[in-house]
Amino acid sequence: MKNISLLAFLVGLSLSAQAQEVVIDTNYYAPPPVRRRVILADPDDNLKTRQSKRADNRRELLDQLNEIQTWYIGTEGGFRSDGSILSNSLDGLVSSATLTKANWSVLLGYTYHNSWTIETGYTRSPIHLNITIANNADPLVFNYLNNGYGIPLRIKRRIGSGKGSVNGTGFWLTGGAWLIPNGSGQTGDFQLIGYSRRGRNRIDTLRLNNTTTVFNSVTGIAELGIDYATRLSTRFELGFYARKYWGLGDALKSDLLYTVNNGSQQQATITSNGSGWGLGLALRYIYGRQFEVKKH
């Protein structure tokens, strides 16, 4: 009987052990959670994209339009040469050189249908008169000029391949005239004395007297040239020019009297009217524009 009870107890214990749920904590051994990396668009790139789209839309709109009128302010800078006219060299004693000096202008302009332009303003470009006196290897040089300013009026016409180019680019034929109040300018008189040996015992006394005046009346300059303009942006334009100038009246005059031993006399006259050449650059700011839709 005791053996049967013991056997029943052992069987029951075995069944109870098999029925129990074994729970094992695996948190310590679990792998770390997977971190997902999410990359978002840079907001600065979005801003650049929007700005680029706006610029593209603006260009597309401008491509569909023609400039029919523009207004601009500009400045020019370059070099201008002008010479003098000598009537008598006084036996090679006197000459007159062509001078090349810097000049600048401030201008206002109006362009119509990208074909015609008119501009005016203020230019600083004196008219010069040069007297060079031979003196062995070291000549004496005297330079005179008028008050230095003028009021130009210039008309331009688009020519050549530029006529069919995009707005603001191409070649222009230019012509115009300057109004020049001569004013007082820089003038002065001089007297020179020298000696010349002829033979062993003959020495001649040479005297040269000069009087230079600036005409107080108003004179002028006519010009003809060619420009090339290229549009740097919607507001700025760069230009290059070459021009020929013709004086419309004398601005300065020098009267020279040459004597030898207070006897023999010769006279000479030097006049200057501003005739010459000019080269330079122009920068223009377009402050107003009017458009029309292109006709296809």
Side-chain angles (χ1 to χ4, degrees):
M1 188 66 180
K2 290 180 180 180
N3 292 332
I4 295 173
S5 299
L6 179 60
L7 179 60
F9 175 75
L10 292 175
V11 172
L13 181 61
S14 176
L15 294 174
S16 174
Q18 290 179 3
Q20 289 181 356
E21 181 180 1
V22 178
V23 179
I24 300 176
D25 185 5
T26 60
N27 290 336
Y28 180 78
Y29 301 99
V34 177
R35 297 181 180 179
R36 296 182 179 179
R37 297 182 179 180
V38 179
I39 300 177
L40 301 177
D42 189 345
D44 291 339
D45 289 341
N46 293 336
L47 177 60
K48 293 178 181 178
T49 301
R50 291 195 297 270
Q51 291 175 344
S52 177
K53 289 182 178 179
R54 285 197 295 267
D56 291 340
N57 293 336
R58 181 179 177 86
R59 281 193 294 269
E60 291 177 1
L61 177 61
L62 291 176
D63 288 340
Q64 300 173 11
L65 300 175
N66 273 328
E67 284 182 352
I68 58 173
Q69 296 183 89
T70 61
W71 297 264
Y72 65 84
I73 57 175
T75 181
E76 290 184 350
F79 294 91
R80 190 173 78 86
S81 66
D82 61 331
S84 306
I85 301 172
L86 175 64
S87 65
N88 183 2
S89 68
L90 304 179
D91 298 327
L93 179 65
V94 179
S95 62
S96 183
T98 298
L99 300 180
T100 301
K101 301 291 183 179
N103 69 295
W104 57 268
S105 303
V106 178
L107 302 166
L108 295 172
Y110 166 76
T111 300
Y112 178 72
H113 273 283
N114 203 32
S115 296
W116 291 94
T117 294
I118 184 171
E119 66 182 17
T120 187
Y122 171 91
T123 184
R124 178 67 181 176
S125 183
I127 297 175
H128 301 87
L129 185 148
N130 169 266
I131 304 175
T132 301
I133 310 298
N135 184 34
N136 295 327
D138 187 17
L140 304 176
V141 178
F142 301 88
N143 291 320
Y144 303 96
L145 49 86
N146 69 344
N147 62 16
Y149 75 89
I151 303 172
L153 178 64
R154 187 173 294 122
I155 297 176
K156 304 180 181 181
R157 170 63 179 172
R158 187 183 289 276
I159 59 172
S161 60
K163 187 175 181 181
S165 4
V166 297
N167 293 336
T169 300
F171 288 93
W172 298 77
L173 180 65
T174 71
W178 299 13
L179 182 67
I180 303 176
N182 288 308
S184 58
Q186 296 181 4
T187 61
D189 302 336
F190 64 78
Q191 295 180 348
L192 302 177
I193 186 170
Y195 302 95
S196 174
R197 181 184 296 276
R198 290 195 301 173
R200 295 183 176 180
N201 302 318
R202 179 81 181 266
I203 296 178
D204 294 331
T205 301
L206 313 177
R207 286 184 172 85
L208 180 64
N209 297 333
N210 170 73
T211 301
T212 300
T213 57
V214 174
F215 291 93
N216 292 322
S217 61
V218 175
T219 59
I221 290 178
E223 67 168 54
L224 184 65
I226 187 168
D227 291 14
Y228 178 78
T230 180
R231 189 67 59 86
L232 301 177
S233 67
T234 57
R235 292 292 181 183
F236 287 95
E237 187 175 278
L238 180 66
F240 308 86
Y241 67 83
R243 295 171 187 150
K244 169 62 178 173
Y245 304 103
W246 294 272
L248 301 179
D250 292 335
L252 300 101
K253 179 182 178 182
S254 290
D255 293 312
L256 298 126
L257 178 62
Y258 177 55
T259 61
V260 179
N261 297 327
N262 294 321
S264 176
Q265 293 186 354
Q266 295 187 60
Q267 294 182 347
T269 300
I270 303 176
T271 57
S272 181
N273 57 21
S275 297
W277 291 89
L279 297 170
L281 301 175
L283 182 64
R284 306 179 186 102
Y285 172 73
I286 302 169
Y287 65 86
R289 293 185 294 173
Q290 184 178 353
F291 298 92
E292 69 175 1
V293 178
K294 290 181 178 179
K295 297 179 182 179
H296 299 284

